[in-house]
Amino acid sequence: MSLYNDSIVDYLIPGNSIDCVIFGYEDQLLKILLLKWKTIDLWALPGGFILKNEDMDKAAHRILKDRSGLDNVFLNQFHTFGNKNRRELLNQNIPKEVESFEKNTIKEHPRLAKWLEQRFITTGYFALVDIKKAKPIPDVLSDTCEWVSVNELPVLIYDHNHIINTCLKHIAIQLNYLPIGISLLPNKFTMQDLQRLYEAFLNKKLERSNFQRKMLKLDIFIRLEKQLTGAANKAPYLYSFNKSKYLELVKKGIGFSY
Amino acid sequence: MSLYNDSIVDYLIPGNSIDCVIFGYEDQLLKILLLKWKTIDLWALPGGFILKNEDMDKAAHRILKDRSGLDNVFLNQFHTFGNKNRRELLNQNIPKEVESFEKNTIKEHPRLAKWLEQRFITTGYFALVDIKKAKPIPDVLSDTCEWVSVNELPVLIYDHNHIINTCLKHIAIQLNYLPIGISLLPNKFTMQDLQRLYEAFLNKKLERSNFQRKMLKLDIFIRLEKQLTGAANKAPYLYSFNKSKYLELVKKGIGFSY
DNA sequence: GCAAAAGTGTTCTCTATACACCCATGG
DNA sequence: CCATGGGTGTATAGAGAACACTTTTGC
């Protein structure tokens, strides 16, 4: 708590914030890193503010590092949310709770408290990270920082559910012309892993055999040994990404006759 | 000039601005609405600020209306620019001129002058408008407000060239899954008009006969009478958009097997 | 008749999609 | 041997690209 003190507001750009939708993949599930606030049962996206002398993208990277311990990660801006009532969009009943919570927990910092009451325009960034390498760290307002499956998202504060939905749509469109997976999957993975990942982003079942062929044709994979799963069926191959070919494909895009 | 007075800053969100890339189509050329500043030869995108009690999207519509006279127009956010040095990105020599210009022309408004000196994070919006219906109106800082072909863009202040380039890339990608034209072209147009429009956004020549077939297959057009152009060749058909089918296609997207 | 642009046709390749088939694995 | 999931094969329909052919127009 003492991390924050009142004078911090002198170093922050007022009225602008950043919220990060941090994706990870684990147990064949697509997950998002969420914070649970102290004392009350409210969830939020990891977020933060921009220093007066800091590029906005840099701030997003800093925030991501503060919550996940990760550096040098795929991080992209996707939308800026500037509705004047965005803090009350969902759950009309919650804002009062939040307000009193904010006021109580930081009452020893009157300037900061006041500062937090202003209207914020927030820019959404999304990150794709290797869940195994991440070390979730709660912020000063939060109890816990944990991975939650996108299929089981709780109700979030403010417009954060809307931010996540916008983000998912954005990524679903990106999948049409960009490969995905290198930052989300472990070094070795099966085609089924990759398919589950795509299905989670697209919110749609895909056909197994065609998916495999389509992916392999991208020519960005290295086929490794087979993996005995212990199940009563044929063992799938493990794959890893051919990083240089992958990055090349990211640069030139998929299927751009344009 | 008296439109602005010092107290206006009390009603504006500090540190946030909006810049609009307003597209029109005329003489078979894709054009952008630009402002030329007073006394010095500097060009800029139409922009403005957000009222403390105004949704950001609403502000973008207001700014668009102030510069073009147009209401109810296709207007979309595409990116937010938050580099700390974004006002000096290009033309290292210009900022000083700009600064003194700003200070001089508004010296009677010291608070406003001071306010304008702060760092701004700007959100880019793009609009597609019918150039025939637009009535360009200069703002208080500008002499003229005019349409400039995207092929002949001047050097713009700050990072405005970068903003335009980002916008063009954004739209080029959108063209893969959204139709375009209804807000840019006049009521009646030829396939060649539409093709020129696409070529301008994609910065690439397209094959005439295939383009026509691909477009017509979208089934969003109404074929009208032929148009005698006076040229020594076959007269092209005129087309108009079937608005309801067009809007339906915008909603469901092109080629989304996903 | 001729040049030029519009409209339509043809051919080839590539992709998407659906589904069939055989293979490996553990019980 | 059987159920299950993995890998590959195949057949069909449609899209994209290149280019040929025919039509219309004004000179």
Side-chain angles (χ1 to χ4, degrees), chain B residues 14 18 22 61 66 70 74 118 123 126 146 156 227-228 253:
Chain B
I18 285 174
I22 306 171
H61 278 285
D66 285 349
L70 293 173
F74 182 92
Q118 70 184 309
T123 296
F126 73 96
E146 44 185 278
L156 301 172
Q227 179 195 40
L228 291 177

Coordinates of all heavy atoms in Angstrom, one line a residue, chain B residues 14 18 22 61 66 70 74 118 123 126 146 156 227-228 253:
Chain B
P14 N -8.3 17.8 -20.5 CA -6.9 18.2 -20.9 C -6.1 17.0 -21.3 O -6.4 15.8 -20.9 CB -6.3 18.7 -19.5 CG -7.1 18.0 -18.5 CD -8.5 17.7 -19.1
I18 N -8.6 14.7 -30.6 CA -9.1 13.8 -31.6 C -8.6 14.4 -33.0 O -8.6 15.6 -33.2 CB -10.6 13.8 -31.6 CG1 -11.1 12.9 -30.4 CG2 -11.2 13.3 -32.9 CD1 -12.6 12.9 -30.2
I22 N -10.6 12.6 -42.9 CA -11.9 12.6 -43.6 C -11.7 12.4 -45.1 O -11.1 13.2 -45.8 CB -12.6 14.0 -43.4 CG1 -12.7 14.3 -41.9 CG2 -14.0 14.0 -44.0 CD1 -13.2 15.7 -41.5
H61 N -17.7 13.1 -33.8 CA -18.8 13.6 -34.7 C -19.0 15.1 -34.7 O -19.2 15.7 -35.8 CB -20.2 12.9 -34.3 CG -20.3 11.5 -34.8 ND1 -20.6 11.2 -36.1 CD2 -20.2 10.3 -34.2 CE1 -20.7 9.9 -36.3 NE2 -20.5 9.3 -35.1
D66 N -18.2 20.2 -37.5 CA -17.7 21.6 -37.5 C -16.9 21.9 -38.7 O -16.8 23.0 -39.3 CB -16.8 21.8 -36.2 CG -17.7 22.0 -35.0 OD1 -18.9 22.2 -35.1 OD2 -17.1 22.0 -33.9
L70 N -21.2 18.1 -42.0 CA -21.9 16.8 -42.2 C -22.3 16.1 -40.9 O -21.5 16.1 -39.9 CB -21.1 15.9 -43.1 CG -20.9 16.3 -44.5 CD1 -19.9 15.4 -45.2 CD2 -22.2 16.3 -45.2
F74 N -20.5 8.0 -41.7 CA -19.7 6.9 -41.3 C -18.4 7.4 -40.6 O -17.6 8.0 -41.3 CB -19.4 6.0 -42.5 CG -18.6 4.8 -42.1 CD1 -19.2 3.6 -41.9 CD2 -17.2 4.8 -42.1 CE1 -18.5 2.4 -41.5 CE2 -16.5 3.7 -41.7 CZ -17.1 2.5 -41.5
Q118 N 0.6 21.6 -23.5 CA 0.8 20.3 -22.8 C 0.9 19.2 -23.8 O 0.7 19.3 -25.0 CB -0.4 20.1 -21.9 CG -1.7 19.8 -22.7 CD -2.9 19.6 -21.8 OE1 -2.9 18.9 -20.8 NE2 -3.9 20.4 -22.1
T123 N -6.6 10.5 -30.5 CA -7.2 9.4 -31.0 C -7.6 9.7 -32.5 O -8.3 10.7 -32.7 CB -8.4 8.9 -30.2 OG1 -8.0 8.6 -28.9 CG2 -9.2 7.8 -30.8
F126 N -11.5 8.0 -38.7 CA -11.7 8.2 -40.1 C -13.1 8.3 -40.5 O -14.0 7.5 -39.9 CB -10.9 7.2 -40.9 CG -11.5 5.8 -41.0 CD1 -12.3 5.5 -42.1 CD2 -11.2 4.9 -40.0 CE1 -12.9 4.2 -42.1 CE2 -11.8 3.6 -40.1 CZ -12.6 3.3 -41.1
E146 N -9.4 22.4 -47.2 CA -9.7 21.9 -48.6 C -9.3 20.5 -48.8 O -8.6 19.9 -48.0 CB -8.9 22.8 -49.6 CG -7.5 23.1 -49.2 CD -6.8 24.1 -50.2 OE1 -6.4 23.6 -51.3 OE2 -6.8 25.3 -49.9
L156 N 2.8 17.4 -43.3 CA 1.8 17.9 -42.3 C 2.5 18.1 -40.9 O 3.6 17.5 -40.7 CB 0.7 16.8 -42.1 CG -0.1 16.5 -43.3 CD1 -1.1 15.4 -43.1 CD2 -0.9 17.7 -43.8
Q227 N -24.4 5.1 -69.3 CA -23.9 6.5 -69.3 C -23.1 6.8 -70.5 O -22.0 6.3 -70.6 CB -23.2 6.8 -68.0 CG -22.7 8.3 -67.9 CD -21.6 8.4 -66.9 OE1 -20.8 7.6 -66.7 NE2 -21.7 9.5 -66.1
L228 N -23.5 7.7 -71.4 CA -22.7 8.1 -72.6 C -21.7 9.1 -72.1 O -22.0 10.2 -71.6 CB -23.6 8.6 -73.7 CG -24.5 7.6 -74.3 CD1 -25.4 8.3 -75.4 CD2 -23.7 6.5 -75.0
G253 N -20.3 -9.1 -42.8 CA -18.9 -9.2 -43.3 C -18.8 -10.1 -44.5 O -19.7 -10.9 -44.8

